[in-house]
């Protein structure tokens, strides 16, 4: 299925007409959750909030925005999977292909063209925890499928030029700490969407590779300061203009709140970045 550039502007993540009912439901869930919830593991601390506004913060690291208030232990917000999930819900299904269970998602696998996604290295570590336990119990044995666009803003399997590729897609099983780690590249910023990574959580690796019983679908947001530094490097020129026209507050997915989805990112352009996020389910 080929998708041209014009369609990408209007179809990426299906736009506000698709998202608004979902976002309204999310606001109601958060309202009903009340104040009885305990703090989320890995939330923005007072020290981090202070550091993010301090001149002494290293230019090679980033903390979640101090403008966002601390979050409580809520289930990760549900988000649209967008039109390019590759999980069988919209055409192709990469989850049932041999080789999809992997930590390095920079290269295509199987009978695909064998291409490699170029860009600034990004390691993504998600910690899946049980929300009902107050986010204190790791979800050992859960599985996470992630996918993202490449440096040019294209999704493998769908967009022109990469329909024969399946890079930047992969599945991992959570370890004893509830963690999954993927070696990737920093995604580009395409028109209309803030820099992000999609992910689906499954109860088990067997469920993930059978493309059944998704428990949670959400997205990880990347900080602006890090995005600006990455997009100043070769290959990301289109992302500079696209990001300048966006904000987290105006993004169709993150505009109603992004505290639980804004990753903590450390590293540098030269050595690569690491993005971490706690995912309560």
């Amino acid at each position: 299925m080929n998708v041209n550039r014009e369609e990408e502007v209007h179809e990426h993540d299906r736009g506000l007409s698709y998202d608004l009912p979902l976002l309204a439901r999310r606001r109601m869930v958060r309202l009903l959750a009340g104040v009885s919830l305990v703090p989320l593991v890995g939330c923005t601390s007072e020290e981090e909030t202070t550091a993010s506004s301090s001149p002494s913060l290293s230019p090679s690291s980033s903390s979640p925005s101090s403008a966002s208030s601390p979050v409580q232990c809520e289930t990760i917000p549900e988000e649209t999977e967008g039109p390019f999930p590759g999980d069988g819900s919209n055409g192709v299904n990469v989850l049932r292909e041999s080789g999809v269970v992997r930590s390095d998602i920079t290269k295509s696998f199987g009978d695909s063209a064998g291409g490699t996604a170029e860009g600034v290295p990004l390691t993504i570590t998600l910690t899946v925890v049980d929300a009902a336990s107050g986010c204190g119990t790791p979800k050992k044995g859960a599985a996470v499928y992630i996918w993202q666009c490449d440096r040019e803003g294209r999704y493998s399997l769908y967009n022109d030029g990469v329909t024969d590729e399946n890079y930047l897609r992969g599945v991992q099983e959570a370890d004893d700490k509830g963690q999954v780690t993927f070696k990737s590249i920093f995604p580009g910023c395409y028109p209309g969407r803030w820099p992000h990574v999609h992910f689906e959580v499954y109860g088990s690796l067997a469920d993930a590779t059978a493309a059944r019983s998704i428990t949670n679908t959400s997205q990880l947001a990347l900080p602006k300061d890090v995005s600006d530094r990455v997009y100043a490097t070769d290959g990301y020129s289109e992302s500079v203009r696209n990001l300048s026209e966006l904000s987290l507050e105006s993004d169709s997915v993150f505009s109603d709140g992004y505290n639980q989805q804004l990753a903590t990112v450390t590293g540098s352009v030269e050595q690569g970045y690491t993005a971490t996020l706690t995912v309560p389910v």
Side-chain angles (χ1 to χ4, degrees), residues 63-133:
S63 297
S65 171
S66 59
S68 302
S69 59
V71 297
Q72 296 174 312
C73 184
E74 303 175 23
T75 300
I76 194 77
E78 284 289 311
E79 304 291 7
T80 173
E81 63 186 5
F84 312 124
D87 61 1
S89 62
N90 184 18
V92 294
N93 189 341
V94 75
L95 292 175
R96 294 182 178 178
E97 294 186 15
S98 175
V100 71
V101 180
R102 59 194 186 138
S103 59
D104 186 345
I105 63 173
T106 58
K107 300 178 181 180
S108 290
F109 64 92
D111 296 329
S112 293
T116 299
E118 301 295 335
V120 173
L122 176 68
T123 298
I124 302 168
T125 296
L126 304 179
T127 302
V128 186
V129 297
D130 181 18
S133 72

Side-chain angles (χ1 to χ4, degrees), residues 69-273:
S69 59
V71 297
Q72 296 174 312
C73 184
E74 303 175 23
T75 300
I76 194 77
E78 284 289 311
E79 304 291 7
T80 173
E81 63 186 5
F84 312 124
D87 61 1
S89 62
N90 184 18
V92 294
N93 189 341
V94 75
L95 292 175
R96 294 182 178 178
E97 294 186 15
S98 175
V100 71
V101 180
R102 59 194 186 138
S103 59
D104 186 345
I105 63 173
T106 58
K107 300 178 181 180
S108 290
F109 64 92
D111 296 329
S112 293
T116 299
E118 301 295 335
V120 173
L122 176 68
T123 298
I124 302 168
T125 296
L126 304 179
T127 302
V128 186
V129 297
D130 181 18
S133 72
C135 295
T137 303
K139 294 287 285 186
K140 176 184 177 181
V144 179
Y145 165 47
I146 75 167
W147 70 98
Q148 63 173 79
C149 70
D150 62 16
R151 184 170 61 181
E152 289 77 24
R154 305 171 300 180
Y155 284 89
S156 66
L157 301 174
Y158 292 91
N159 292 148
D160 288 341
V162 291
T163 55
D164 293 329
E165 305 290 353
N166 57 24
Y167 56 48
L168 302 181
R169 300 176 184 273
V171 174
Q172 278 280 289
E173 182 178 29
D175 62 17
D176 291 347
K177 297 179 180 180
Q179 293 185 340
V180 294
T181 298
F182 297 91
K183 176 184 176 183
S184 187
I185 58 101
F186 205 96
C189 178
Y190 53 78
R193 279 307 319 277
W194 188 261
H196 64 283
V197 175
H198 295 263
F199 61 90
E200 292 173 343
V201 181
Y202 294 79
S204 68
L205 187 61
D207 283 344
T209 53
R212 68 188 181 206
S213 304
I214 300 170
T215 63
N216 305 83
T217 301
S218 195
Q219 298 180 27
L220 172 155
L222 292 161
K224 185 180 187 303
D225 56 348
V226 177
S227 299
D228 284 337
R229 289 196 291 273
V230 171
Y231 295 161
T233 65
D234 292 341
Y236 287 97
S237 57
E238 289 296 316
S239 294
V240 175
R241 176 174 57 83
N242 294 333
L243 185 62
S244 70
E245 299 172 351
L246 295 167
S247 70
L248 278 162
E249 290 74 18
S250 67
D251 182 75
S252 60
V253 169
F254 301 123
S255 59
D256 69 331
Y258 49 85
N259 284 334
Q260 286 185 267
Q261 296 159 285
L262 183 61
T264 297
V265 180
T266 59
S268 66
V269 167
E270 295 75 19
Q271 297 182 356
Y273 288 97

Side-chain angles (χ1 to χ4, degrees), residues 3-23:
V3 180
N4 61 36
R5 189 65 172 175
E6 181 179 354
E7 289 175 331
E8 286 183 32
V9 175
H10 300 289
E11 290 187 354
H12 270 302
D13 299 324
R14 304 183 187 179
L16 283 172
S17 63
Y18 178 88
D19 290 324
L20 282 176
L22 176 62
L23 299 180

